[in-house]
Amino acid sequence: MKRILILGSGYISGCLVHFLTRVCATTQKYLVTVASVVPKELEDLATQFTNLQTVVINVKEDAEALHDLVGKCDLVVSLLPNDMHLPAAKACIDLRVNMLHASYNSDELIALNDDARQNGVLILGELGLDPGIDHLLAMKCIHEIQEQKGKIVSFVSYCGGLPAPECSGDNYLRYKFSWAPKTALGNLLNGARFLENKSVVEIPRGGGILDETKQLHFLPELGLEGYPNRDSLVYLEKYGLSPHIRTLIRGTLRYTEFSKRVKTLIKVGLLSDDAVDFLDPDVNQAPLTWREFIASLLHINLSTGNNDANSAFRTVLSPTEIETLTSLGLLEDTAVPKVGTPLTALANHLEGMLQFKNGEQDVVILHHELEAKYPMLSSHESVCGRKEFREIDFIVYGDPLQSNRDSNFNQPINRTPTTTPHAYSAMAKTVAYTLGIGAEMMLNGEIKQVGVILPLTRDIYLPILERLAHYGLFAIERILNEFV
């Protein structure tokens, strides 16, 4: 039996264990160990999967224990936060064990490429949904166009994990968490860089990406908007695109009005990850209420003698901003959790509020738009060129949540014998199944490359897309030709 070590026990881990031990286990068996710093999550997983081994470990602080675990396995799958992949990757390189993960490759991880190649180790990254399936679908389309001598002049891509439309109307943001809340919120402060109509647009960190939000019309009935995601220009080289391309944008999808409303949280200072004394659990001080906390961040003195509870906030906030805070319970007299930083406190608060209820489901929407030009073709009486427009839609609905326990799609949910025995979110399925297929390929020796790589070559993206389709996860492509 091949041995797989999964690092991390969060939103995706349960679905990945399910895939490795129950979905693909008809062809071969894997011995799976999950290692995490959260004992409760490990206990929950161990009760769901009887043959699962679990280990409590702090990857950042216990290098010896990490090396011991890595040395006993054939493959490592890291579901850790992006900044925690590095110690795992170093251990894998030292011990000549392959590794894969679903996060963006950091500069520090890329710097390990030479060491990994020298030791014959494969570290395959960005193999989830976004990044991941977006790469697979993009490269398949790009290579098809290039093989026909086409030149890509525009590439636009948006992806998002959302509550299904019918499940989105019960909160002001029309958003619910299907993955790590703190990461999802923190990403709103990322900077971005993209190309639009041959002009490079650079946005520094701090929330400016939300000012670049555009209304999107490819699924008009849903009412979607998108804002830029990270540095799109790095994909000029990675995707093999011409430096003369007109437009190159990769972005994040949300329902309309999300950006306008969430900017309130940035303005107030709730997305700061800097430590605050009165949020320090070791400081002997009574916790503030959310109302008091917001007032302190805005330097407002609350007047106890005014009958209008929000009059003090109106001096610095618009009615829409006050409505946003009120709807999210952030002007109430309930205690702020003492968890170190405003961002962590907000994530803990919203995780309870923006969770899926029984019977609700999420949806993953990934949309690519490509425009290509082809060389002039001559016939007996005419000479013409061809423009081609391609649209790719990858849409997956999660299983409806059916549980009388906490609303956490990481947990399998018992259902009637006539239906699937486990229910998982679309986010969990798309990330976990992609990682799981990649793990199978690596353990079977199907990927011959070594080093720190991305899934951008045919030997990787074609088999994964074919196997995802086998499990019902596939894209629909439309092609429109125009002769000029």
Side-chain angles (χ1 to χ4, degrees):
M1 294 176 67
K2 296 292 181 68
R3 297 162 298 176
I4 300 175
L5 172 64
I6 298 174
L7 298 175
S9 57
Y11 274 66
I12 306 300
S13 58
C15 189
L16 179 58
V17 174
H18 172 71
F19 179 86
L20 292 172
T21 60
R22 299 182 181 179
V23 175
C24 69
T26 55
T27 55
Q28 56 184 312
K29 300 291 184 181
Y30 298 120
L31 182 62
V32 179
T33 299
V34 178
S36 169
V37 74
V38 187
K40 178 62 169 63
E41 292 178 349
L42 292 174
E43 291 171 9
D44 290 342
L45 288 169
T47 61
Q48 299 155 22
F49 303 98
T50 54
N51 295 325
L52 181 70
Q53 297 182 1
T54 61
V55 178
V56 177
I57 182 177
N58 187 318
V59 168
K60 276 191 170 181
E61 297 179 3
D62 200 340
E64 184 177 348
L66 176 62
H67 270 68
D68 183 59
L69 283 173
V70 172
K72 294 177 180 178
C73 72
D74 300 292
L75 178 70
V76 172
V77 183
S78 179
L79 299 177
L80 297 170
N82 199 12
D83 63 342
M84 296 176 66
H85 293 316
L86 196 61
K90 289 180 176 179
C92 286
I93 292 171
D94 289 344
L95 297 166
R96 290 180 165 82
V97 175
N98 292 336
M99 170 180 154
L100 72 162
H101 65 88
S103 308
Y104 286 100
N105 274 347
S106 65
D107 292 340
E108 294 79 8
L109 203 60
I110 294 171
L112 298 178
N113 180 57
D114 289 343
D115 292 339
R117 290 176 60 85
Q118 187 174 0
N119 280 15
V121 172
L122 170 59
I123 298 178
L124 177 56
E126 302 190 18
L127 193 66
L129 169 65
D130 175 10
I133 294 175
D134 57 345
H135 292 335
L136 312 180
L137 293 170
M139 292 312 302
K140 180 176 181 293
C141 186
I142 289 169
H143 283 163
E144 288 174 354
I145 291 171
Q146 291 174 340
E147 286 170 356
Q148 300 173 41
K149 309 302 182 185
K151 178 183 177 181
I152 296 166
V153 296
S154 177
F155 178 90
V156 177
S157 173
Y158 286 96
C159 183
L162 302 165
E166 66 274 18
C167 307
S168 68
D170 60 352
N171 73 76
Y172 201 59
L173 298 180
R174 294 191 67 197
Y175 183 75
K176 297 182 181 182
F177 293 112
S178 56
W179 62 301
K182 184 176 178 180
T183 303
L185 292 169
N187 284 348
L188 296 169
L189 294 181
N190 286 340
R193 194 164 67 119
F194 59 92
L195 183 67
E196 188 169 30
N197 294 322
K198 296 187 178 182
S199 296
V200 175
V201 180
E202 297 196 41
I203 305 168
R205 280 185 57 83
I209 57 174
L210 300 174
D211 295 326
E212 298 293 330
T213 299
K214 292 180 171 59
Q215 298 304 306
L216 304 174
H217 306 290
F218 62 92
L219 292 172
E221 66 277 9
L222 295 187
L224 297 171
E225 65 182 26
Y227 51 85
N229 180 20
R230 300 177 185 259
D231 186 356
S232 298
L233 297 192
V234 299
Y235 293 95
L236 281 172
E237 180 179 353
K238 291 180 180 181
Y239 284 0
L241 300 172
S242 166
H244 304 295
I245 191 172
R246 184 180 70 244
T247 297
L248 175 57
I249 300 174
R250 297 175 77 254
T252 299
L253 278 178
R254 292 291 182 261
Y255 289 121
T256 301
E257 300 291 305
F258 174 88
S259 295
K260 182 175 74 174
R261 293 167 180 174
V262 82
K263 279 196 285 189
T264 303
L265 306 179
I266 297 175
K267 176 179 178 178
V268 172
L270 287 172
L271 297 193
S272 169
D273 208 20
D274 296 331
V276 176
D277 286 343
F278 51 75
L279 293 181
D280 187 338
D282 296 325
V283 173
N284 187 19
Q285 177 180 336
L288 296 180
T289 66
W290 277 108
R291 184 176 180 78
E292 293 168 335
F293 183 38
I294 299 298
S296 71
L297 291 173
L298 295 172
H299 307 289
I300 291 175
N301 291 320
L302 293 176
S303 173
T304 56
N306 195 320
N307 292 328
D308 184 350
N310 290 329
S311 61
F313 293 103
R314 288 197 181 93
T315 61
V316 293
L317 297 175
S318 70
T320 299
E321 291 168 337
I322 291 175
E323 185 178 9
T324 297
L325 296 174
T326 301
S327 68
L328 296 177
L330 297 173
L331 293 181
E332 296 181 0
D333 291 320
T334 54
V336 180
K338 300 183 72 173
V339 287
T341 72
L343 175 60
T344 308
L346 178 67
N348 287 8
H349 173 74
L350 292 183
E351 183 174 19
M353 175 174 288
L354 306 184
Q355 62 176 302
F356 288 86
K357 302 180 180 68
N358 287 347
E360 293 186 339
Q361 61 191 136
D362 71 325
V363 62
V364 159
I365 302 174
L366 169 60
H367 179 77
H368 288 334
E369 294 179 5
L370 292 90
E371 180 184 344
K373 289 184 177 180
Y374 290 85
M376 303 292 281
L377 302 174
S378 70
S379 63
H380 292 294
E381 297 181 355
S382 65
V383 176
C384 66
R386 177 166 61 94
K387 280 185 179 181
E388 182 178 86
F389 301 90
R390 294 197 185 200
E391 288 192 352
I392 302 170
D393 285 324
F394 178 83
I395 302 173
V396 177
Y397 279 83
D399 300 315
L401 181 66
Q402 296 182 12
S403 171
N404 55 10
R405 299 178 289 108
D406 291 339
S407 300
N408 184 349
F409 278 130
N410 183 49
Q411 312 296 329
I413 300 159
N414 292 326
R415 308 178 75 175
T416 63
T418 57
T419 62
T420 177
H422 297 89
Y424 292 103
S425 70
M427 181 65 71
K429 283 182 184 178
T430 51
V431 174
Y433 279 42
T434 309
L435 280 170
I437 293 169
E440 279 190 295
M441 293 175 64
M442 292 171 73
L443 289 170
N444 292 339
E446 297 177 60
I447 304 175
K448 306 302 181 184
Q449 303 175 61
V450 294
V452 180
I453 71 169
L454 301 181
L456 306 180
T457 52
R458 289 176 180 81
D459 61 317
I460 300 177
Y461 68 71
L462 282 178
I464 295 179
L465 287 174
E466 289 171 359
R467 295 176 203 186
L468 285 172
H470 173 76
Y471 296 116
L473 307 177
F474 57 88
I476 296 174
E477 184 175 358
R478 294 175 297 279
I479 301 176
L480 175 65
N481 289 304
E482 178 181 301
F483 292 93
V484 293

